[in-house]
């Protein structure tokens, strides 16, 4: 089959100076996309800034025959997000693809986590993804085309000790993905999320050294590229990806227990096993379908 190309497409990749974002930018550019390489150039914890990482990726793309421009604005501020999108418009005239990848860590057990450490992580991961997508959204709607890829995490989907801030932000992105998929449907805007497992500076202390190659970032980017492609029709979905394995992750509802005419605490206690059954499950495509299941049960 024909090679998947992005000729004529313009992509923004945030947090693209290193790790996953860098690989996403390189791959999209290698396949013909014009890329805005955004990276604040700060530390893993979000402190400081440097133009070096973004500039280095742009130089690498150009050396390989691609087109790219660097941007060092902060995704966590409305002004920064607008500037990122403006960079794409000024350099390339439009925007087709947004890959929200920027992130920081402030890991700490919940009892020791300060409110500002919670807020700082939410600001970059969740609010930053909202702001950049929000700035791009009018342009995607106007041209009736767009592909948006969010970066959630297994920590958000399944929880992880010491990451109350990070996991909250990442699960929030799942909800944002589903809502934007619904709102973008009639404008041919597809919005999906990945939950990557990869060896990066964020995770290098979590995985055994011999997994560095097995969990390389190169094994995550193909899913991002596919979700960003014009022929992809999936939307509102989340995919776990790592080490060459790709799997759909979904929120479903079990059959539950229904009692007409009133529900008591004792009813809940006595039917707790049935309430916790998972099959047959309902995989609702939207809140309307889930609500109708409730209506059908109680009518």
């Amino acid at each position: 089959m024909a090679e998947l190309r992005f000729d004529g497409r313009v992509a923004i990749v945030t947090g693209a100076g290193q790790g996953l974002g860098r690989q996403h930018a390189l791959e999209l550019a290698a396949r013909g996309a014009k890329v805005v390489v955004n990276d604040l150039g700060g530390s893993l914890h979000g402190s400081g800034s440097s133009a070096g990482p973004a500039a280095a990726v742009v130089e690498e793309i150009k050396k390989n025959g691609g087109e790219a421009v660097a941007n060092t604005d902060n995704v966590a501020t409305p002004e920064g997000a607008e500037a990122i999108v403006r960079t794409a418009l000024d350099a390339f005239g439009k925007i087709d693809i947004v890959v929200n990848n920027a992130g920081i860590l402030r890991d700490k057990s919940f009892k020791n986590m300060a409110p500002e450490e919670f807020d700082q992580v939410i600001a970059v991961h969740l609010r930053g993804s909202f702001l950049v997508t929000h700035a791009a959204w009018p342009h995607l709607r106007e041209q009736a085309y767009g592909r948006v890829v969010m970066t959630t995490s297994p920590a958000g989907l399944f929880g992880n000790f010491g990451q109350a801030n990070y996991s909250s932000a990442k699960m929030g992105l799942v909800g944002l993905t589903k809502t934007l998929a619904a709102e973008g449907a009639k404008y041919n805007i597809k919005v999906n999320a990945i939950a990557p497992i990869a060896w990066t500076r964020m995770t290098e202390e979590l995985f055994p050294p011999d997994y560095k190659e097995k969990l390389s970032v190169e094994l995550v980017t193909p899913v991002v590229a596919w979700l960003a492609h014009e022929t992809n029709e999936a939307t509102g979905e989340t995919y776990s990806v790592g080490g060459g394995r790709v799997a759909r992750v979904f929120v479903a509802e079990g059959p539950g227990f229904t009692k007409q005419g009133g529900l008591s605490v004792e009813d809940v206690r006595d039917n707790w096993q049935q309430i916790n059954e998972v099959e047959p499950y309902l995989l609702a495509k939207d809140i309307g379908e889930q609500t109708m299941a409730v209506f059908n049960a109680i009518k």
Side-chain angles (χ1 to χ4, degrees):
M1 298 181 69
E3 178 188 33
L4 292 177
R5 298 285 301 173
F6 291 87
D7 300 307
R9 297 299 184 192
V10 176
I12 290 171
V13 183
T14 68
Q18 301 184 63
L20 285 167
R22 171 183 172 275
Q23 188 61 34
H24 301 338
L26 292 174
E27 183 71 18
L28 292 172
R31 292 176 178 269
K34 300 172 182 178
V35 182
V36 174
V37 178
N38 162 262
D39 201 291
L40 185 62
S43 72
L44 181 61
H45 303 293
S47 60
S49 63
S50 170
V57 176
V58 168
E59 183 179 352
E60 188 173 355
I61 288 172
K62 289 182 175 180
K63 183 179 178 181
N64 293 331
E67 294 185 61
V69 293
N71 174 280
T72 58
D73 287 291
N74 188 351
V75 300
T77 69
E79 299 78 12
E82 290 286 349
I84 293 167
V85 171
R86 177 52 54 190
T87 297
L89 297 175
D90 290 347
F92 304 124
K94 64 171 184 169
I95 171 67
D96 301 297
I97 299 162
V98 177
V99 179
N100 290 300
N101 173 76
I104 62 171
L105 289 178
R106 289 281 196 282
D107 290 358
K108 197 170 285 186
S109 66
F110 186 66
K111 72 180 182 65
N112 294 324
M113 185 175 290
E116 56 268 25
E117 291 171 322
F118 185 89
D119 293 342
Q120 288 160 350
V121 171
I122 295 290
V124 177
H125 289 274
L126 181 55
R127 191 168 188 262
S129 296
F130 162 79
L131 288 172
V132 175
T133 307
H134 190 262
W137 199 255
H139 305 285
L140 303 182
R141 279 177 42 121
E142 184 178 357
Q143 67 193 15
Y145 178 83
R147 296 292 184 267
V148 179
V149 183
M150 305 289 188
T151 306
T152 181
S153 168
L157 296 166
F158 305 109
N160 192 32
F161 187 94
Q163 292 193 312
N165 46 11
Y166 183 78
S167 60
S168 296
K170 291 305 193 181
M171 195 58 181
L173 284 167
V174 175
L176 181 61
T177 295
K178 289 186 172 296
T179 296
L180 294 189
E183 294 193 16
K186 71 176 183 178
Y187 301 101
N188 190 26
I189 304 172
K190 313 297 183 187
V191 186
N192 294 284
I194 62 161
I197 302 173
W199 185 286
T200 68
R201 64 176 181 160
M202 279 191 173
T203 62
E204 61 184 2
E205 295 182 359
L206 302 177
F207 302 135
D210 57 334
Y211 274 75
K212 185 173 183 178
E213 295 302 322
K214 294 177 181 178
L215 294 175
S216 73
V217 293
E218 286 86 352
L219 297 175
V220 172
T221 293
V223 179
V224 173
W226 165 243
L227 294 175
H229 198 264
E230 61 192 42
T231 57
N232 165 58
E233 291 297 323
T235 193
E237 302 292 352
T238 298
Y239 297 93
S240 170
V241 52
R245 176 183 180 272
V246 185
R248 183 187 183 198
V249 180
F250 53 88
V251 176
E253 185 174 87
F257 163 78
T258 304
K259 183 184 178 183
Q260 301 279 2
L263 185 71
S264 70
V265 178
E266 290 75 21
D267 291 327
V268 176
R269 177 198 63 195
D270 296 342
N271 293 279
W272 193 239
Q273 182 174 344
Q274 183 177 341
I275 290 168
N276 282 281
E277 292 294 333
V278 297
E279 292 183 345
Y281 61 76
L282 167 68
L283 185 57
K285 66 180 180 181
D286 53 35
I287 192 173
E289 196 170 279
Q290 187 272 339
T291 303
M292 283 306 302
V294 176
F295 288 177
N296 291 333
I298 63 177
K299 68 181 179 180

